[in-house]
Amino acid sequence: MAGQRHRAKKSLGQNFLVDANLQRKIVRALGAGPRDEVLEIGPGRGALTGHLAGRVHRLVLVEIDDELAPALASRFADDPSVQVVHGDVLDTDLPRLLPRWDEALVVGNIPYNITTPILFHLLRRPRPREIVLMVQREVADRMVAGAGERAYGALAVGVQSVADVALLFPVPRTAFRPVPGVDSAVVRIRPHRPPRLEPEEERRLRILTRSAFQWRRKQLQKILRRHPALNIPEVAVDRLGEELHLDLARRPETFSPDLLLELVRRLPDDALGD
Ligand code: SAM
């Protein structure tokens, strides 16, 4: 197996999935077929890669590790459908790497320390068809949480406003080597097709959400009136509550992504600037 003798690097979030049943289960969840182009993020020693190579039209692996990337390249040297990119996925122009990006599938057991940046990198426009990721259990819970739940916040709104997201199954820490300090879960993210929001609405929703959950213990109306990033005139806030028959004295965590979007759509154009 590629890089078998290599030592796991904590700085790169290396916890290798050694349970073969779970490896297969994750790849099955992706449901990639012979016509699909697949991106795998952080293939490491090839735990998922081995179940994908040869079964899809094209498999692109992006791995940052200086030992593991060359090891993967030599392991798959005879398979022209596999391409190894040695680099940081966050610096990689993914739609350029996979020209049919909007049809592509993405899979990865990704490093815990950069889960959110990777998620937002993948959810920039244009978006791939489907993403199956192994993430920390707590992050999975935050992605799928509904309004009013403890885990609900900016991450849930950010993901759910552009995609359908589901927690598929939990993965115990004992399935990895070295054994990490937390449990994991596999999530599936299907970006809305076509996107439901205009790019400008997405941008404005991000600003509102970030500000609202920064002050999550305050009433939404106070945040709308006072948060320095928002710039909303008092009268516009009063009008909003009346127009939507909404009690804006509630805390932000009780507002669903749809409701927050409704607020964004009704706020004056010059509010929610950069
Ligand atoms: N997929 C393998 C598995 O399931 O056993 C490895 C998973 S390990 C949690 C994360 C992998 O991502 C490691 O191989 C690590 O070197 C790689 N990685 C870390 N940061 C990365 C980055 N910025 N870009 C690409 N790969 C990265």
Side-chain angles (χ1 to χ4, degrees):
M1 199 178 276
Q4 192 64 238
R5 278 194 300 275
H6 140 286
R7 278 186 135 211
K9 298 186 182 84
K10 212 170 171 183
S11 61
L12 296 180
Q14 292 180 348
N15 298 98
F16 300 102
L17 182 66
V18 293
D19 182 319
N21 286 328
L22 282 165
Q23 295 169 357
R24 279 191 289 271
K25 197 168 170 186
I26 294 169
V27 171
R28 257 201 319 271
L30 187 69
R35 284 196 227 189
D36 288 316
E37 296 201 353
V38 177
L39 165 72
E40 187 186 349
I41 301 174
R45 295 176 181 158
L48 305 178
T49 326
H51 302 278
L52 276 166
R55 297 187 185 155
V56 297
H57 180 64
R58 183 162 174 245
L59 178 60
V60 179
L61 312 173
V62 180
E63 172 57 61
I64 200 170
D65 188 290
D66 295 341
E67 294 166 69
L68 294 179
L72 286 161
S74 65
R75 174 173 166 190
F76 295 106
D78 294 335
D79 186 341
S81 69
V82 180
Q83 178 189 352
V84 181
V85 176
H86 181 189
D88 184 338
V89 69
L90 294 173
D91 292 338
T92 306
D93 183 343
L94 301 172
R96 220 168 128 190
L97 193 58
L98 290 101
R100 287 166 51 216
W101 177 240
D102 58 347
E103 283 300 326
L105 306 177
V106 179
V107 68
N109 168 17
I110 59 177
Y112 295 146
N113 54 341
I114 51 169
T115 302
T116 317
I118 290 179
L119 257 178
F120 284 103
H121 191 51
L122 292 174
L123 290 177
R124 273 197 204 134
R125 292 173 178 237
R127 304 189 172 106
R129 188 167 99 221
E130 185 167 318
I131 304 164
V132 170
L133 294 179
M134 170 118 64
V135 298
Q136 217 172 314
R137 173 68 204 243
E138 176 254 328
V139 176
D141 289 338
R142 286 201 280 126
M143 284 164 70
V144 301
E149 291 175 16
R150 192 137 57 102
Y152 182 69
L155 186 64
V157 178
V159 176
Q160 294 171 26
S161 58
V162 300
D164 292 325
V165 54
L167 194 159
L168 299 184
F169 48 89
V171 177
R173 64 191 78 185
T174 50
F176 303 91
R177 292 291 178 280
V179 178
V182 292
D183 292 317
S184 292
V186 174
V187 292
R188 177 161 54 214
I189 302 165
R190 288 197 171 125
H192 298 146
R193 287 160 74 90
R196 295 186 191 152
L197 276 57
E198 296 298 325
E200 179 60 8
E201 288 174 330
E202 283 178 18
R203 190 191 64 78
R204 285 161 55 89
L205 181 61
R206 244 191 333 268
I207 292 172
L208 176 65
T209 309
R210 214 184 296 140
S211 312
F213 290 102
Q214 226 172 31
W215 289 1
R216 62 185 297 145
R217 308 240 157 264
K218 289 204 198 307
Q219 300 177 357
L220 189 68
Q221 61 188 3
K222 293 209 172 118
I223 299 168
L224 293 173
R225 289 198 173 103
R226 296 196 200 140
H227 197 291
L230 297 181
N231 182 33
I232 305 171
E234 286 273 324
V235 285
V237 178
D238 298 337
R239 215 173 38 226
L240 257 187
E242 286 160 24
E243 276 177 13
L244 293 170
H245 305 289
L246 265 183
D247 175 12
L248 295 177
R250 287 156 40 191
R251 286 181 178 176
E253 67 224 33
T254 65
F255 288 80
S256 67
D258 282 350
L259 213 44
L260 290 168
L261 178 63
E262 195 58 42
L263 294 177
V264 161
R265 287 185 168 147
R266 285 168 189 260
L267 282 168
D269 285 348
D270 55 348
L272 305 174
D274 279 321

